[in-house]
């Protein structure tokens, strides 16, 4: 089941490396960014970015990066 993030507090509780996605038909169909990027992007209005869905945990991102590095 996909975790849905609806508040700044929930976003702050995530691993900053977790990958999330936003969906807004009017502006952009999909915007994937890490939790830390969502929190640190001063262009993003925190009241207007929710809901977000977690598409990969920080642990999954690090494991994928490690696997890719090992393939070099």
């Amino acid at each position: 089941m996909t975790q849905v993030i609806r508040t700044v507090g929930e976003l702050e509780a995530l691993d900053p490396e977790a990958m999330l996605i936003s969906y807004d038909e009017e502006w952009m169909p999909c915007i994937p960014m890490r939790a830390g990027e969502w929190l640190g992007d001063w262009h993003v209005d925190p009241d207007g970015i929710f809901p977000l869905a977690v598409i990969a945990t920080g642990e999954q991102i690090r494991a994928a990066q490690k696997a890719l590095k090992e393939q070099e």
Side-chain angles (χ1 to χ4, degrees):
M1 173 160 39
T2 301
Q3 182 180 1
V4 176
I5 305 302
R6 299 185 190 283
T7 67
V8 172
E10 290 176 350
L11 184 57
E12 290 173 334
L14 290 175
D15 181 321
E17 295 296 311
M19 184 65 72
L20 296 97
I21 196 160
S22 156
Y23 183 80
D24 185 336
E25 282 184 25
E26 185 176 339
W27 296 102
M28 299 220 176
C30 294
I31 304 170
M33 289 187 350
R34 292 181 177 164
E37 293 172 320
W38 281 110
L39 284 169
D41 189 344
W42 58 273
H43 294 287
V44 175
D45 174 11
D47 294 326
I49 64 172
F50 300 107
L52 298 168
V54 177
I55 56 175
T57 65
E59 185 176 322
Q60 291 168 324
I61 294 294
R62 288 185 289 278
Q65 289 170 331
K66 180 180 177 187
L68 288 169
K69 186 175 182 177
E70 290 171 355
Q71 291 296 314
E72 291 180 347

